Amino acid sequence: MNRRTLNVAASLLLLGALLAAPALLSGYQVVFLLLTLLYIGLAYSWNLISGYSGYISFGHVAFFGIGAYSVGILAATHGWPWPVAVLCGGALASLLALPLGWVMLRLRGPYFAIGMLAVAEGTRLLASIMRGVTRGGLGIFVSTDYNVVPVYYSLLALVVILMAITYWVDNSRFGLRLLSIREDEDAAEVIGINTTRQKLTAFVLSAAFPGMIGGLYAWYIGYIDPGSVFALSFSLNMVLMTLLGGAGTFLGPLIGGASFAMVLETLWARFPAYHLMVSGAAIVAIVLFIPNGLVAVLRRFGLVAKRRRFASRVLQRSQRRTAERDAGREARDVTPA
Amino acid sequence: MAFGMSTLLIAGVFLFLRKTRLGKAVRATAQHAQVAMTCGIDVDRMRVVAFALGIGMATSAGALLVTISSVHPQVGQLYILKAFAIVILGGLGSLAGAFVGGLILGLTEVLGTFYISSSVGQASSYLVLLIVLVLRPGGIMGTAEKVRA
């Protein structure tokens, strides 16, 4: 109980600090926090499908780019208000994820991962081919205003929503079903889980948020072209951050995204010429020494709960039920006829 | 020149994996590591051999590329994506699949570029990949067994 109040107090304190940040910090620091929130949001979205169900997607940048282009086309070219355009970006991304997931989620393992990579590349090339709509390689000038503060608050709201969704997934039967798919999909099917529906739900859910985040990114950065908003590095960073923090956990994307952004920024500031090389070496070191992510390290030191609380509760309940049933049967068996 | 060399290399790898004892051991490791281990195959060593062979092939391909195209530090990115796509197209763990997949992807791209435009050519190769995956989730030469993660 004490632990719980402590957690709530710490989260509220963090949230308050983040809410107050734009008023207190310098422009550079706010932009840094904005990018950190962007990364955290992307990591949470990716975690919803890939962390829980084990379907590693190398193509989530497709949804990011679709969102960015929605804002570019709707807000900049047609003059829609940007929050509406951002929401439309999210809706469009999840709408496209429905048929896409229906097709792609039949693939397993590396076939799904590479298939999604092909999807992302395909959308990037589509964006450069459809010149009439997207202006192709010329790109779109989205906005010339200083949009950092509204985008910052919108991203903060999205991250909070994503954390709430992840918390729910982490503590629900839906999440357990996804985890069972990750552990053994055939076995999950055998015990009566409609695996296609679970995967598709998670996929659509995890596509909506990169769509909105991409839209916000476009509104913040001001100029988009196919190469920059469909960049493969966004997909790879989502994978990296989540694995760094711990895939399929509630806190993993938060910790992974925040530390990733911080490490990247520090390296970039210290070694302008070599920062990608150093971060590459850092990634290799992390994968070798903490393969289960930072959350696993925290768990070892007792800072994060060791077990999935919801899962152990369900387990206990079913064990109790089995015990009661067995006891009843024994009682019946010993009753003389 | 590059064509002849790469054909020779592919034939060499094919013969190595099909005919030699070492090649057989590598394939056995890929099929089922535990069974291979019980047959007395040094599984870790086979993985090193396979990894080294793969790197050797990629390096030779890069060296041959110089004869027909320009190179720069980022040149690999273009090809790694295509290599992924080809392997998945053909079916993981199938040499013939990689060969057929490479031909299909290369032809689609070149024909698309020639008849329509270069971005359509590149996009159409991914379209082909997706169509193949929908129809045959394990790749052209892959068996249903291998689809299991």
Side-chain angles (χ1 to χ4, degrees):
Chain A
M1 198 61 198
N2 201 4
R3 179 85 172 252
R4 189 162 195 169
T5 30
L6 203 70
N7 281 343
V8 171
S11 340
L12 284 179
L13 208 68
L14 186 66
L15 188 65
L18 285 172
L19 279 172
L24 303 172
L25 298 177
S26 72
Y28 162 71
Q29 286 160 330
V30 176
V31 167
F32 169 66
L33 281 181
L34 182 149
L35 288 174
T36 310
L37 285 175
L38 182 114
Y39 279 132
I40 292 173
L42 288 177
Y44 265 110
S45 327
W46 188 81
N47 189 38
L48 280 177
I49 176 76
S50 302
Y52 283 95
S53 78
Y55 272 72
I56 306 292
S57 158
F58 275 125
H60 256 50
V61 75
F63 305 122
F64 182 85
I66 287 166
Y69 265 97
S70 307
V71 167
I73 293 163
L74 293 177
T77 316
H78 295 291
W80 290 29
W82 66 271
V84 180
V86 166
L87 289 178
C88 281
L92 186 65
S94 42
L95 218 68
L96 281 171
L98 204 63
L100 192 66
W102 184 74
V103 172
M104 297 304 292
L105 288 166
R106 304 193 315 167
L107 307 171
R108 288 190 185 186
Y111 289 91
F112 176 77
I114 306 297
M116 282 304 293
L117 192 68
V119 167
E121 281 297 289
T123 45
R124 180 177 66 83
L125 290 163
L126 266 183
S128 29
I129 293 169
M130 300 188 336
R131 292 208 180 80
V133 190
T134 63
R135 308 210 322 138
L138 288 173
I140 299 176
F141 288 95
V142 183
S143 161
T144 47
D145 300 335
Y146 181 74
N147 297 322
V148 168
V149 176
V151 167
Y152 172 85
Y153 281 119
S154 318
L155 278 172
L156 187 59
L158 279 186
V159 168
V160 170
I161 295 170
L162 269 166
M163 286 182 76
I165 292 178
T166 308
Y167 187 80
W168 169 72
V169 169
D170 213 45
N171 291 287
S172 69
R173 286 186 173 265
F174 174 61
L176 283 185
R177 288 189 205 114
L178 287 180
L179 284 171
S180 75
I181 291 173
R182 181 176 84 177
E183 297 308 321
D184 192 331
E185 186 163 350
D186 294 328
E189 238 162 56
V190 167
I191 60 168
I193 292 172
N194 185 346
T195 53
T196 315
R197 188 196 281 171
Q198 312 299 329
K199 287 186 289 184
L200 203 56
T201 314
F203 191 69
V204 170
L205 206 60
S206 100
F209 288 92
M212 285 188 262
I213 295 171
L216 288 170
Y217 177 77
W219 194 246
Y220 148 74
I221 204 89
Y223 168 77
I224 54 172
D225 70 334
S228 66
V229 292
F230 286 105
L232 185 61
S233 57
F234 277 114
S235 291
L236 297 182
N237 286 347
M238 285 184 227
V239 183
L240 275 176
M241 288 182 289
T242 317
L243 293 185
L244 172 63
T249 58
F250 168 58
L251 285 174
L254 179 71
I255 297 171
S259 42
F260 180 83
M262 244 177 281
V263 168
L264 211 67
E265 191 75 7
T266 322
L267 289 175
W268 178 78
R270 292 273 165 80
F271 316 99
Y274 303 105
H275 74 279
L276 285 177
M277 212 170 87
V278 180
S279 60
I283 288 161
V284 173
I286 286 163
V287 170
L288 282 178
F289 294 115
I290 35 174
N292 293 326
L294 291 168
V295 167
V297 177
L298 293 181
R299 238 176 229 160
R300 204 181 308 144
F301 291 111
L303 294 168
V304 179
K306 280 218 164 58
R307 308 180 64 178
R308 289 179 185 281
R309 244 176 284 143
F310 182 77
S312 34
R313 211 161 60 224
V314 170
L315 187 69
Q316 275 167 7
R317 201 189 304 152
S318 82
Q319 275 169 348
R320 204 171 52 230
R321 229 176 259 160
T322 318
E324 276 166 12
R325 201 187 55 207
D326 287 353
R329 193 175 290 155
E330 264 166 38
R332 203 173 51 234
D333 286 350
V334 292
T335 330
Chain B
M1 161 79 177
F3 179 77
M5 283 289 281
S6 64
T7 314
L8 266 180
L9 275 172
I10 293 167
V13 171
F14 191 80
L15 286 177
F16 167 74
L17 285 176
R18 287 276 154 186
K19 299 290 172 199
T20 64
R21 276 177 69 85
L22 190 62
K24 270 184 193 156
V26 169
R27 284 193 294 136
T29 308
Q31 261 174 17
H32 203 303
Q34 274 154 335
V35 174
M37 218 182 279
T38 52
C39 293
I41 294 169
D42 187 344
V43 169
D44 287 335
R45 207 171 131 242
M46 289 313 125
R47 291 199 172 129
V48 173
V49 168
F51 192 56
L53 188 65
I55 288 178
M57 284 296 278
T59 314
S60 339
L64 290 173
L65 180 72
V66 183
T67 59
I68 54 168
S69 157
S70 65
V71 285
H72 50 87
Q74 261 96 46
V75 74
Q77 278 191 357
L78 196 68
Y79 293 95
I80 195 160
L81 271 180
K82 284 182 187 158
F84 279 154
I86 288 166
V87 172
I88 292 295
L89 186 63
L92 278 176
S94 157
L95 256 181
F99 191 72
V100 174
L103 278 183
I104 292 178
L105 201 90
L107 284 176
T108 327
E109 205 177 301
V110 171
L111 291 179
T113 308
F114 186 76
Y115 285 106
I116 309 167
S117 80
S118 77
S119 22
V120 173
Q122 281 179 38
S124 62
S125 55
Y126 290 111
L127 193 69
V128 168
L129 173 64
L130 288 181
I131 291 171
V132 168
L133 282 182
V134 170
L135 298 178
R136 280 193 66 97
I140 294 173
M141 299 284 173
T143 58
E145 267 275 301
K146 281 180 190 155
V147 184
R148 292 200 40 146

